[in-house]
Coordinates of all heavy atoms in Angstrom, one line a residue:
M1 N -18.7 -15.8 -14.1 CA -18.2 -17.0 -14.7 C -16.8 -17.4 -14.0 O -16.0 -16.5 -13.8 CB -18.0 -16.8 -16.2 CG -17.3 -17.9 -16.9 SD -17.1 -18.0 -18.7 CE -17.1 -16.3 -19.2
D2 N -16.6 -18.6 -13.7 CA -15.3 -19.1 -13.2 C -14.2 -19.0 -14.2 O -14.4 -19.3 -15.4 CB -15.4 -20.5 -12.7 CG -16.3 -20.7 -11.4 OD1 -16.4 -19.7 -10.7 OD2 -16.8 -21.8 -11.2
R3 N -13.1 -18.6 -13.7 CA -11.9 -18.6 -14.6 C -10.9 -19.5 -13.9 O -10.7 -19.5 -12.7 CB -11.3 -17.2 -14.7 CG -12.3 -16.2 -15.4 CD -11.7 -14.8 -15.5 NE -10.4 -14.9 -16.2 CZ -10.2 -14.4 -17.4 NH1 -11.2 -13.9 -18.1 NH2 -9.0 -14.4 -17.9
W4 N -10.1 -20.2 -14.7 CA -9.2 -21.3 -14.2 C -7.8 -21.0 -14.7 O -7.6 -20.5 -15.8 CB -9.6 -22.7 -14.7 CG -11.0 -23.0 -14.3 CD1 -12.2 -22.9 -15.0 CD2 -11.4 -23.6 -13.0 NE1 -13.2 -23.3 -14.3 CE2 -12.8 -23.7 -13.1 CE3 -10.8 -24.0 -11.9 CZ2 -13.6 -24.2 -12.0 CZ3 -11.5 -24.5 -10.8 CH2 -12.9 -24.6 -10.9
E5 N -6.8 -21.4 -13.9 CA -5.4 -21.5 -14.4 C -5.0 -22.9 -14.3 O -5.5 -23.7 -13.4 CB -4.5 -20.6 -13.6 CG -4.4 -20.8 -12.1 CD -3.4 -19.9 -11.5 OE1 -2.4 -19.5 -12.1 OE2 -3.7 -19.5 -10.3
Y6 N -4.1 -23.4 -15.1 CA -3.6 -24.8 -15.2 C -2.1 -24.9 -14.9 O -1.4 -24.0 -15.2 CB -4.0 -25.4 -16.5 CG -5.5 -25.4 -16.7 CD1 -6.2 -24.3 -17.3 CD2 -6.2 -26.5 -16.3 CE1 -7.6 -24.4 -17.4 CE2 -7.6 -26.6 -16.5 CZ -8.3 -25.5 -17.0 OH -9.6 -25.5 -17.2
K7 N -1.7 -26.0 -14.4 CA -0.3 -26.3 -14.2 C -0.1 -27.8 -14.6 O -0.9 -28.6 -14.2 CB 0.0 -26.1 -12.7 CG 1.4 -26.5 -12.3 CD 1.7 -26.3 -10.8 CE 1.8 -24.9 -10.4 NZ 3.1 -24.4 -10.4
T8 N 1.0 -28.0 -15.3 CA 1.4 -29.4 -15.7 C 2.7 -29.7 -15.1 O 3.6 -28.9 -15.2 CB 1.4 -29.5 -17.2 OG1 0.2 -29.1 -17.8 CG2 1.8 -30.9 -17.6
I9 N 2.8 -30.8 -14.4 CA 4.0 -31.3 -13.7 C 4.4 -32.6 -14.3 O 3.6 -33.5 -14.5 CB 3.8 -31.5 -12.2 CG1 3.2 -30.2 -11.6 CG2 5.0 -31.9 -11.5 CD1 4.2 -29.0 -11.6
K10 N 5.7 -32.8 -14.6 CA 6.2 -34.1 -15.1 C 7.0 -34.7 -13.9 O 7.9 -34.1 -13.3 CB 7.1 -33.8 -16.3 CG 7.7 -35.1 -16.8 CD 8.4 -35.0 -18.2 CE 9.4 -33.9 -18.3 NZ 10.2 -33.9 -19.5
F11 N 6.7 -36.0 -13.7 CA 7.4 -36.8 -12.6 C 8.2 -37.9 -13.4 O 7.6 -38.6 -14.2 CB 6.4 -37.5 -11.7 CG 5.6 -36.5 -10.9 CD1 4.4 -36.0 -11.3 CD2 6.1 -36.0 -9.7 CE1 3.6 -35.1 -10.5 CE2 5.4 -35.1 -8.9 CZ 4.1 -34.7 -9.4
G12 N 9.4 -38.0 -13.1 CA 10.3 -39.1 -13.7 C 9.9 -40.4 -13.0 O 9.7 -40.5 -11.8
L13 N 9.8 -41.4 -13.9 CA 9.6 -42.8 -13.4 C 10.9 -43.5 -13.3 O 11.9 -43.3 -14.0 CB 8.6 -43.5 -14.4 CG 7.3 -42.9 -14.6 CD1 6.5 -43.6 -15.6 CD2 6.5 -42.7 -13.3
K14 N 11.0 -44.4 -12.4 CA 12.2 -45.2 -12.1 C 12.2 -46.6 -12.8 O 11.2 -47.0 -13.3 CB 12.4 -45.4 -10.6 CG 12.3 -44.1 -9.8 CD 13.5 -43.3 -9.9 CE 13.4 -42.1 -8.9 NZ 14.1 -40.9 -9.3
G15 N 13.2 -47.3 -12.6 CA 13.3 -48.7 -13.1 C 13.8 -48.8 -14.5 O 13.9 -47.8 -15.3
F16 N 14.3 -49.9 -14.9 CA 14.8 -50.2 -16.2 C 13.7 -50.0 -17.2 O 12.7 -50.8 -17.1 CB 15.4 -51.6 -16.3 CG 16.0 -51.9 -17.6 CD1 17.2 -51.4 -18.0 CD2 15.3 -52.7 -18.5 CE1 17.7 -51.7 -19.3 CE2 15.8 -53.0 -19.8 CZ 17.0 -52.5 -20.1
G17 N 13.8 -49.1 -18.1 CA 12.7 -48.8 -19.0 C 11.6 -48.0 -18.4 O 10.6 -47.7 -19.1
G18 N 11.7 -47.5 -17.2 CA 10.7 -46.7 -16.6 C 9.5 -47.5 -16.0 O 9.6 -48.7 -15.9
G19 N 8.5 -46.8 -15.7 CA 7.3 -47.5 -15.2 C 7.1 -47.6 -13.7 O 6.0 -48.0 -13.3
I20 N 8.1 -47.3 -12.9 CA 7.9 -47.4 -11.5 C 7.8 -46.0 -10.9 O 8.7 -45.2 -11.0 CB 9.1 -48.1 -10.9 CG1 9.2 -49.5 -11.4 CG2 9.0 -48.2 -9.3 CD1 10.4 -50.3 -11.0
L21 N 6.7 -45.7 -10.2 CA 6.4 -44.4 -9.6 C 6.8 -44.4 -8.2 O 6.3 -45.3 -7.4 CB 5.0 -44.0 -9.8 CG 4.5 -42.7 -9.3 CD1 5.2 -41.5 -10.0 CD2 3.0 -42.6 -9.4
E22 N 7.6 -43.5 -7.7 CA 7.9 -43.4 -6.3 C 6.7 -42.7 -5.6 O 6.6 -41.5 -5.6 CB 9.2 -42.6 -6.1 CG 10.4 -43.2 -6.6 CD 10.9 -44.4 -5.8 OE1 10.5 -44.5 -4.6 OE2 11.6 -45.2 -6.4
T23 N 5.8 -43.5 -5.1 CA 4.6 -43.0 -4.6 C 4.7 -42.0 -3.4 O 4.0 -41.1 -3.3 CB 3.6 -44.1 -4.1 OG1 4.3 -45.0 -3.2 CG2 3.2 -44.9 -5.4
E24 N 5.8 -42.2 -2.6 CA 6.0 -41.3 -1.4 C 6.3 -39.9 -1.9 O 5.7 -38.9 -1.5 CB 7.1 -41.8 -0.6 CG 6.8 -41.7 0.9 CD 7.9 -42.4 1.7 OE1 7.8 -43.6 1.9 OE2 8.8 -41.7 2.2
D25 N 7.2 -39.8 -2.9 CA 7.5 -38.5 -3.5 C 6.4 -37.9 -4.2 O 6.1 -36.7 -4.2 CB 8.7 -38.6 -4.4 CG 10.0 -39.1 -3.7 OD1 10.1 -38.9 -2.5 OD2 10.9 -39.6 -4.4
F26 N 5.7 -38.7 -5.0 CA 4.5 -38.3 -5.7 C 3.4 -37.7 -4.8 O 2.9 -36.7 -5.1 CB 4.0 -39.5 -6.6 CG 2.9 -39.2 -7.5 CD1 3.1 -38.3 -8.6 CD2 1.6 -39.7 -7.4 CE1 2.1 -38.0 -9.5 CE2 0.6 -39.4 -8.3 CZ 0.8 -38.6 -9.3
N27 N 3.1 -38.5 -3.7 CA 2.1 -38.0 -2.8 C 2.5 -36.7 -2.1 O 1.7 -35.8 -1.9 CB 1.8 -39.1 -1.7 CG 1.1 -40.2 -2.2 OD1 0.4 -40.1 -3.3 ND2 1.2 -41.4 -1.6
Y28 N 3.8 -36.6 -1.8 CA 4.3 -35.3 -1.2 C 4.0 -34.1 -2.2 O 3.5 -33.1 -1.7 CB 5.8 -35.4 -0.9 CG 6.4 -34.1 -0.5 CD1 6.2 -33.7 0.9 CD2 7.1 -33.3 -1.3 CE1 6.8 -32.5 1.3 CE2 7.6 -32.1 -0.9 CZ 7.5 -31.7 0.4 OH 8.0 -30.5 0.9
E29 N 4.3 -34.3 -3.4 CA 4.1 -33.2 -4.4 C 2.6 -32.9 -4.6 O 2.2 -31.7 -4.7 CB 4.8 -33.5 -5.8 CG 6.3 -33.5 -5.7 CD 6.8 -32.1 -5.4 OE1 6.3 -31.1 -5.8 OE2 7.8 -32.1 -4.7
L30 N 1.8 -34.0 -4.6 CA 0.4 -33.8 -4.8 C -0.2 -33.0 -3.6 O -1.0 -32.1 -3.8 CB -0.4 -35.1 -4.9 CG -0.1 -35.9 -6.2 CD1 -0.9 -37.2 -6.2 CD2 -0.5 -35.1 -7.4
N31 N 0.2 -33.4 -2.4 CA -0.3 -32.7 -1.2 C 0.2 -31.3 -1.1 O -0.5 -30.4 -0.7 CB 0.1 -33.5 0.1 CG -0.7 -34.7 0.2 OD1 -1.9 -34.8 0.0 ND2 0.0 -35.8 0.6
K32 N 1.4 -31.0 -1.5 CA 2.0 -29.7 -1.5 C 1.2 -28.8 -2.5 O 0.8 -27.6 -2.1 CB 3.5 -29.7 -1.9 CG 4.2 -28.4 -1.8 CD 5.7 -28.5 -2.0 CE 6.0 -28.8 -3.4 NZ 7.4 -28.7 -3.7
L33 N 0.9 -29.3 -3.6 CA 0.1 -28.5 -4.6 C -1.4 -28.3 -4.1 O -2.0 -27.3 -4.3 CB 0.1 -29.1 -6.0 CG 1.5 -29.0 -6.7 CD1 1.6 -29.9 -7.9 CD2 1.7 -27.6 -7.1
G34 N -1.9 -29.4 -3.5 CA -3.3 -29.3 -3.0 C -3.4 -28.2 -1.9 O -4.4 -27.5 -1.8
D35 N -2.3 -28.1 -1.1 CA -2.3 -27.0 0.0 C -2.3 -25.6 -0.7 O -2.7 -24.7 0.0 CB -1.1 -27.2 0.9 CG -1.2 -28.4 1.8 OD1 -2.4 -28.9 2.0 OD2 -0.2 -28.8 2.4
Q36 N -1.8 -25.5 -1.9 CA -1.7 -24.2 -2.6 C -3.0 -24.0 -3.4 O -3.1 -23.0 -4.2 CB -0.5 -24.2 -3.5 CG 0.8 -24.3 -2.8 CD 2.0 -24.5 -3.8 OE1 1.8 -24.3 -5.0 NE2 3.1 -24.9 -3.2
G37 N -4.0 -24.9 -3.3 CA -5.3 -24.7 -4.0 C -5.4 -25.4 -5.3 O -6.4 -25.2 -6.0
W38 N -4.4 -26.2 -5.7 CA -4.4 -26.9 -7.0 C -5.2 -28.2 -6.8 O -5.1 -28.9 -5.8 CB -3.0 -27.2 -7.5 CG -2.3 -26.0 -7.9 CD1 -1.3 -25.3 -7.1 CD2 -2.4 -25.2 -9.1 NE1 -0.8 -24.3 -7.8 CE2 -1.5 -24.2 -9.0 CE3 -3.2 -25.4 -10.2 CZ2 -1.3 -23.2 -10.1 CZ3 -3.0 -24.4 -11.2 CH2 -2.1 -23.4 -11.2
E39 N -6.0 -28.5 -7.8 CA -6.8 -29.7 -7.9 C -6.3 -30.6 -9.0 O -6.2 -30.1 -10.1 CB -8.3 -29.4 -8.1 CG -9.1 -30.6 -8.2 CD -10.6 -30.3 -8.5 OE1 -10.9 -29.1 -8.6 OE2 -11.4 -31.3 -8.6
L40 N -6.0 -31.9 -8.7 CA -5.6 -32.8 -9.8 C -6.7 -33.1 -10.7 O -7.8 -33.5 -10.3 CB -5.0 -34.1 -9.1 CG -4.5 -35.1 -10.1 CD1 -3.3 -34.6 -10.8 CD2 -4.2 -36.4 -9.4
V41 N -6.5 -32.8 -12.0 CA -7.5 -33.0 -13.0 C -7.3 -34.3 -13.8 O -8.2 -35.1 -14.1 CB -7.5 -31.9 -14.0 CG1 -8.5 -32.1 -15.1 CG2 -7.8 -30.6 -13.3
S42 N -6.0 -34.6 -14.1 CA -5.7 -35.8 -14.9 C -4.2 -36.2 -14.6 O -3.4 -35.4 -14.2 CB -5.8 -35.5 -16.3 OG -5.5 -36.6 -17.1
C43 N -4.0 -37.5 -14.7 CA -2.6 -38.0 -14.6 C -2.5 -39.1 -15.6 O -3.3 -40.0 -15.7 CB -2.4 -38.5 -13.2 SG -0.6 -39.0 -12.9
F44 N -1.4 -39.1 -16.4 CA -1.2 -40.1 -17.5 C 0.3 -40.3 -17.8 O 1.1 -39.5 -17.3 CB -1.9 -39.6 -18.8 CG -1.5 -38.3 -19.3 CD1 -0.5 -38.2 -20.3 CD2 -2.1 -37.1 -18.8 CE1 -0.1 -37.0 -20.7 CE2 -1.7 -35.9 -19.3 CZ -0.7 -35.8 -20.3
T45 N 0.6 -41.3 -18.5 CA 2.0 -41.6 -18.9 C 2.0 -41.6 -20.4 O 1.3 -42.3 -21.0 CB 2.5 -42.9 -18.4 OG1 1.7 -44.0 -18.8 CG2 2.6 -42.9 -16.9
P46 N 2.9 -40.8 -21.0 CA 3.0 -40.9 -22.5 C 3.9 -42.1 -22.8 O 4.8 -42.4 -22.1 CB 3.8 -39.6 -22.8 CG 4.5 -39.2 -21.6 CD 3.7 -39.7 -20.4
N47 N 3.5 -42.8 -23.8 CA 4.2 -44.0 -24.2 C 5.5 -43.7 -24.9 O 5.6 -42.9 -25.8 CB 3.3 -44.9 -25.2 CG 2.2 -45.6 -24.4 OD1 2.3 -45.8 -23.2 ND2 1.2 -46.0 -25.1
G48 N 6.5 -44.4 -24.5 CA 7.8 -44.3 -25.1 C 8.0 -45.5 -26.0 O 7.1 -46.1 -26.4
A49 N 9.2 -45.8 -26.3 CA 9.6 -46.9 -27.2 C 9.1 -48.2 -26.5 O 9.2 -48.4 -25.3 CB 11.1 -47.0 -27.4
N50 N 8.5 -49.1 -27.3 CA 8.0 -50.4 -26.9 C 7.0 -50.3 -25.7 O 6.9 -51.3 -24.9 CB 9.2 -51.3 -26.5 CG 10.1 -51.5 -27.7 OD1 9.7 -51.7 -28.8 ND2 11.4 -51.5 -27.4
G51 N 6.3 -49.2 -25.6 CA 5.3 -49.1 -24.6 C 5.7 -48.7 -23.2 O 4.9 -48.6 -22.3
Y52 N 7.0 -48.5 -23.1 CA 7.6 -48.1 -21.8 C 7.4 -46.6 -21.6 O 7.4 -45.8 -22.5 CB 9.1 -48.4 -21.7 CG 9.4 -49.9 -21.6 CD1 9.9 -50.6 -22.7 CD2 9.1 -50.6 -20.5 CE1 10.2 -51.9 -22.6 CE2 9.3 -52.0 -20.4 CZ 9.9 -52.6 -21.5 OH 10.1 -54.0 -21.4
S53 N 7.2 -46.2 -20.3 CA 7.1 -44.8 -20.0 C 8.2 -44.4 -19.1 O 8.5 -45.0 -18.1 CB 5.7 -44.5 -19.4 OG 4.7 -44.8 -20.3
R54 N 8.7 -43.2 -19.3 CA 9.8 -42.7 -18.4 C 9.3 -41.5 -17.6 O 9.9 -41.1 -16.6 CB 10.9 -42.1 -19.3 CG 11.6 -43.2 -20.0 CD 13.1 -43.2 -19.6 NE 13.8 -44.2 -20.3 CZ 14.4 -45.2 -19.7 NH1 14.4 -45.3 -18.4 NH2 15.1 -46.1 -20.4
D55 N 8.0 -41.0 -17.9 CA 7.5 -39.9 -17.1 C 6.0 -40.1 -16.9 O 5.3 -40.8 -17.6 CB 7.6 -38.6 -17.9 CG 9.1 -38.3 -18.2 OD1 9.8 -38.2 -17.2 OD2 9.4 -38.1 -19.4
A56 N 5.5 -39.5 -15.8 CA 4.1 -39.4 -15.5 C 3.8 -37.9 -15.6 O 4.6 -37.1 -15.0 CB 3.8 -40.0 -14.1
I57 N 2.7 -37.6 -16.2 CA 2.3 -36.2 -16.4 C 1.1 -36.0 -15.5 O 0.1 -36.7 -15.6 CB 2.0 -35.8 -17.8 CG1 3.1 -36.2 -18.8 CG2 1.6 -34.3 -18.0 CD1 4.4 -35.5 -18.6
A58 N 1.1 -34.9 -14.7 CA -0.1 -34.6 -13.8 C -0.5 -33.2 -14.2 O 0.3 -32.3 -14.3 CB 0.3 -34.7 -12.3
V59 N -1.8 -33.0 -14.4 CA -2.4 -31.8 -14.8 C -3.3 -31.3 -13.6 O -4.2 -32.0 -13.1 CB -3.3 -31.9 -16.1 CG1 -3.9 -30.5 -16.5 CG2 -2.4 -32.4 -17.2
F60 N -3.1 -30.0 -13.2 CA -3.9 -29.5 -12.1 C -4.6 -28.2 -12.6 O -4.2 -27.6 -13.6 CB -2.9 -29.0 -11.0 CG -2.1 -30.2 -10.4 CD1 -0.9 -30.6 -11.0 CD2 -2.5 -30.8 -9.3 CE1 -0.2 -31.6 -10.5 CE2 -1.8 -31.8 -8.7 CZ -0.6 -32.2 -9.3
K61 N -5.6 -27.8 -11.8 CA -6.3 -26.5 -12.1 C -6.7 -25.9 -10.7 O -6.8 -26.6 -9.7 CB -7.5 -26.7 -12.9 CG -8.7 -27.4 -12.2 CD -10.0 -27.4 -13.1 CE -11.1 -28.0 -12.3 NZ -12.4 -28.0 -13.1
R62 N -6.8 -24.6 -10.8 CA -7.4 -23.9 -9.6 C -8.0 -22.6 -10.1 O -7.7 -22.1 -11.2 CB -6.3 -23.5 -8.6 CG -5.3 -22.5 -9.0 CD -4.3 -22.3 -7.8 NE -3.3 -21.4 -8.2 CZ -2.2 -21.1 -7.5 NH1 -2.1 -21.6 -6.3 NH2 -1.3 -20.2 -8.0
R63 N -8.9 -22.1 -9.3 CA -9.6 -20.8 -9.7 C -8.6 -19.7 -9.7 O -7.8 -19.6 -8.8 CB -10.8 -20.5 -8.8 CG -12.0 -21.4 -9.1 CD -13.2 -20.9 -8.3 NE -14.3 -21.6 -8.7 CZ -14.7 -22.8 -8.2 NH1 -13.9 -23.4 -7.3 NH2 -15.7 -23.4 -8.6
K64 N -8.8 -18.7 -10.6 CA -8.0 -17.5 -10.7 C -8.4 -16.5 -9.6 O -9.6 -16.4 -9.3 CB -8.0 -16.9 -12.0 CG -7.1 -17.5 -13.0 CD -7.1 -16.7 -14.3 CE -5.8 -17.1 -15.1 NZ -5.7 -16.2 -16.2

């Protein structure tokens, strides 16, 4: 049976009220984790006040 480990990373969003993702930095982090065997499972933004988001959350998994 496969066993998995999980990692959750929080990326800060830029801009007034948030919502702007620095894609170059984001891609760098995704590729770095991918090289370590992590697979991106989900990415989402938790809603803040008035629907604005200050963070993006990325969830990864890899076999143990």
Side-chain angles (χ1 to χ4, degrees):
M1 172 172 32
D2 287 336
R3 295 180 58 108
W4 302 94
E5 63 179 320
Y6 296 89
K7 178 185 284 271
T8 302
I9 304 292
K10 180 168 50 170
F11 295 93
L13 301 177
K14 309 284 187 208
F16 181 76
I20 300 172
L21 178 66
E22 295 289 339
T23 55
E24 223 172 275
D25 296 338
F26 187 65
N27 288 337
Y28 174 79
E29 290 298 322
L30 292 179
N31 286 321
K32 186 170 74 170
L33 289 166
D35 288 342
Q36 297 171 14
W38 292 101
E39 177 184 1
L40 181 65
V41 175
S42 181
C43 189
F44 59 93
T45 57
N47 284 337
N50 300 319
Y52 292 106
S53 296
R54 295 240 180 240
D55 299 304
I57 308 295
V59 180
F60 299 84
K61 73 175 185 178
R62 70 177 175 187
R63 283 191 175 83
K64 279 190 163 183

